[in-house]
Amino acid sequence: MPSARPARRAAALAVVPAALSLLLTACGPGVGGPATSAEGPVEGDITFQTWNLRAEFKDYFETLIDEFESRHPDVRVEWADQPAENYADKLSADAGSGSLPDVINVSPDLAYPLADAGVIMNMDAERATAKYRPEYTKEAWDGYEMPGLGGTYAFPWYLNTGPLFYNKALLEDAGLDPEKPPRDYDALFRYAERIAERSEGRIPTLAATPTIENFGRYGVRLMNEDATEFTYNEPAGVELLTRYKKLYEQGGLDAQALTNTPEKAGQKFLKQRVAMNPGSALDLANFRNNAPSLYENLGITKAPNNTGRPNMYLMGLAVSDQSEHKPAAIAFAHFVTNKRNQEKFGHQTAVFPSTRGSLDKDYWSEDDGTAAGRVRVNSAQSLDGAVNYQPVVMNDEMETILRNEIAKALQGDKSPKQALDDAVAESNKLLRKH
């Protein structure tokens, strides 16, 4: 399933190819004819498209659809589940032909080009959808606000955030208190320097280079207010990259960090070759089955940040603005994402509901003494006040630019300031072309 993890978005929160943005821009608002009314009888045949969920949750969704149809006998829901691969391309093709499904599973970055092209509904602009806003947490609803477009463009659905896993034994070997893991970036870099020094460079603390999310959690202003320019080359951004460069030189950052994928970084943590790695509850079974000595010494804490606001990954359901049966599509999207059904889905897998008050329930607030329970409660607590640091206008090409410039800085080919200045300049050119 699309499982949002701290390693960028993993399969779940896939990036938007530049081609999607370009195609939708070419389409322009109103693709497929005039929008239908958002109010009226709940009736008609609608299509519900999810993103790589059928294999694990077939029974759940079929039961959910049956229940909705029994409540609304004049509606028929056709469920279409798409594989994770090329999902954005599928959306692009459907948008270009005016044949988007009525209800569409999207992450914020996938919603943005659809919203910009005027092919999905503005939830704040329609009385039929705006009335539901109080049912969701403010952070989740705000997660689908689109800069420069005004409004929210999807019903928030499931959320995730990731704890930081750490190896208690490696911290102890470095003379650090394993019960006091780093809470902010100053502490993180101190710990990493100490572990590298005590291990004589054999044990790095981190296995991956910083992403845009790290800049956000460090307290860097990523974009200007209307999201027309990137700004992560400001002094705080240069400071963060400079500290990573120093860590790389000291051995606190893995020597292969420039080429490590999230999977490779995870494997190095599993084999106890690095001291810390972000993850999710889905990793616990892997640790328990394949690295029992790590599992016995596993520390779980919130990912360090300087802002007091952790990162949040989220999924939502958008409604096509060209749906011929918009009242039925709205009713179904709301039904899937209502409090009862979100909580039920959250019990099925390691995701969290975006509805108000849900995370106060015992399942997400009371530690049951298991490692899975600790991760679940830790993550649920981290979602309080969390934000999506990933700019919705940042596509895969822009991420590649940032990653390549960071590599140049770490290798000493450019100064951190020059590398970030160049990354911002190239990415801003792409934004202006859009």
Side-chain angles (χ1 to χ4, degrees), residues 67-265:
E67 182 181 351
F68 179 80
E69 290 180 342
S70 69
R71 295 185 181 196
H72 301 280
D74 294 327
V75 179
R76 289 292 175 268
V77 179
E78 179 184 350
W79 177 27
D81 188 62
Q82 299 296 332
E85 294 76 19
N86 303 316
Y87 186 68
D89 294 333
K90 168 67 173 168
L91 291 178
S92 173
D94 289 344
S97 64
S99 58
L100 275 176
D102 300 272
V103 179
I104 319 148
N105 181 186
V106 288
S107 53
D109 56 333
L110 291 183
Y112 176 75
L114 298 173
D116 192 33
V119 296
I120 57 175
M121 283 183 59
N122 182 342
M123 301 294 171
D124 287 325
E126 294 281 359
R127 183 173 60 180
T129 50
K131 64 184 179 183
Y132 296 122
R133 180 172 187 155
E135 298 181 18
Y136 305 89
T137 67
K138 181 181 186 301
E139 292 80 11
W141 190 271
D142 289 350
Y144 280 91
E145 284 188 349
M146 299 297 153
L149 302 182
T152 294
Y153 286 83
F155 284 109
W157 193 8
Y158 58 88
L159 311 175
N160 218 330
T161 189
L164 181 73
F165 291 125
Y166 64 97
N167 189 317
K168 290 183 177 182
L170 294 180
L171 266 64
E172 285 183 314
D173 290 345
L176 297 166
D177 186 346
E179 303 307 320
K180 295 181 179 179
R183 302 294 188 187
D184 58 27
Y185 275 89
D186 285 345
L188 176 64
F189 285 116
R190 285 199 309 271
Y191 275 49
E193 290 169 6
R194 179 73 170 271
I195 292 169
E197 177 186 350
R198 289 292 183 94
S199 69
E200 297 182 343
R202 291 182 299 102
I203 303 295
T205 293
L206 303 173
T209 57
T211 65
I212 195 69
E213 176 201 326
N214 295 110
F215 283 83
R217 286 194 284 118
Y218 193 76
V220 178
R221 189 173 67 108
L222 304 179
M223 301 198 77
N224 61 6
E225 288 187 7
D226 58 0
T228 57
E229 288 188 346
F230 289 99
T231 58
Y232 54 77
N233 60 334
E234 68 173 21
V238 175
E239 177 182 280
L240 176 63
L241 186 51
T242 300
R243 297 180 80 170
Y244 263 94
K245 183 177 186 297
K246 180 181 178 183
L247 199 65
Y248 187 59
E249 294 167 346
Q250 294 173 328
L253 183 63
D254 183 57
Q256 281 78 48
L258 304 183
T259 56
N260 280 341
T261 63
E263 291 73 23
K264 286 182 180 178

Side-chain angles (χ1 to χ4, degrees), residues 46-65:
I46 61 172
T47 300
F48 167 47
Q49 180 169 287
T50 53
W51 183 358
N52 197 30
L53 295 176
R54 186 181 293 274
E56 285 191 65
F57 305 105
K58 180 175 181 290
D59 291 344
Y60 172 81
F61 284 104
E62 288 183 346
T63 299
L64 198 67
I65 290 168

Side-chain angles (χ1 to χ4, degrees), residues 192-393:
E193 290 169 6
R194 179 73 170 271
I195 292 169
E197 177 186 350
R198 289 292 183 94
S199 69
E200 297 182 343
R202 291 182 299 102
I203 303 295
T205 293
L206 303 173
T209 57
T211 65
I212 195 69
E213 176 201 326
N214 295 110
F215 283 83
R217 286 194 284 118
Y218 193 76
V220 178
R221 189 173 67 108
L222 304 179
M223 301 198 77
N224 61 6
E225 288 187 7
D226 58 0
T228 57
E229 288 188 346
F230 289 99
T231 58
Y232 54 77
N233 60 334
E234 68 173 21
V238 175
E239 177 182 280
L240 176 63
L241 186 51
T242 300
R243 297 180 80 170
Y244 263 94
K245 183 177 186 297
K246 180 181 178 183
L247 199 65
Y248 187 59
E249 294 167 346
Q250 294 173 328
L253 183 63
D254 183 57
Q256 281 78 48
L258 304 183
T259 56
N260 280 341
T261 63
E263 291 73 23
K264 286 182 180 178
Q267 281 297 312
K268 291 193 174 188
F269 181 74
L270 183 78
K271 294 176 181 178
Q272 304 189 65
R273 294 178 182 171
V274 296
M276 301 180 185
N277 199 60
S280 76
L282 299 173
D283 296 308
L284 291 174
N286 188 28
F287 297 153
R288 183 174 59 248
N289 297 332
N290 298 312
S293 62
L294 169 64
Y295 190 72
E296 290 175 3
N297 289 290
L298 187 66
I300 304 169
T301 189
K302 297 177 182 178
N305 77 77
N306 295 349
T307 67
R309 307 194 76 183
N311 191 58
M312 172 175 63
Y313 306 89
L314 64 165
M315 281 287 179
L317 295 182
V319 175
S320 170
D321 205 37
Q322 278 70 48
S323 172
E324 295 181 1
H325 304 288
K326 197 176 289 181
I330 292 168
F332 182 73
H334 174 252
F335 179 74
V336 174
T337 62
N338 69 22
K339 187 173 185 177
R340 190 201 69 164
N341 288 328
Q342 285 216 41
E343 290 177 2
K344 185 177 179 180
F345 192 51
H347 280 263
Q348 300 254 334
T349 189
V351 297
F352 301 88
S354 63
T355 41
R356 289 183 187 269
S358 291
L359 296 182
D360 295 331
K361 300 289 182 68
D362 287 351
Y363 182 72
W364 289 286
S365 62
E366 299 293 333
D367 189 341
D368 60 10
T370 66
R374 275 194 297 151
V375 173
R376 184 171 62 246
V377 172
N378 181 291
S379 297
Q381 291 173 347
S382 296
L383 285 166
D384 184 20
V387 295
N388 178 23
Y389 284 110
Q390 181 75 26
V392 296
V393 300

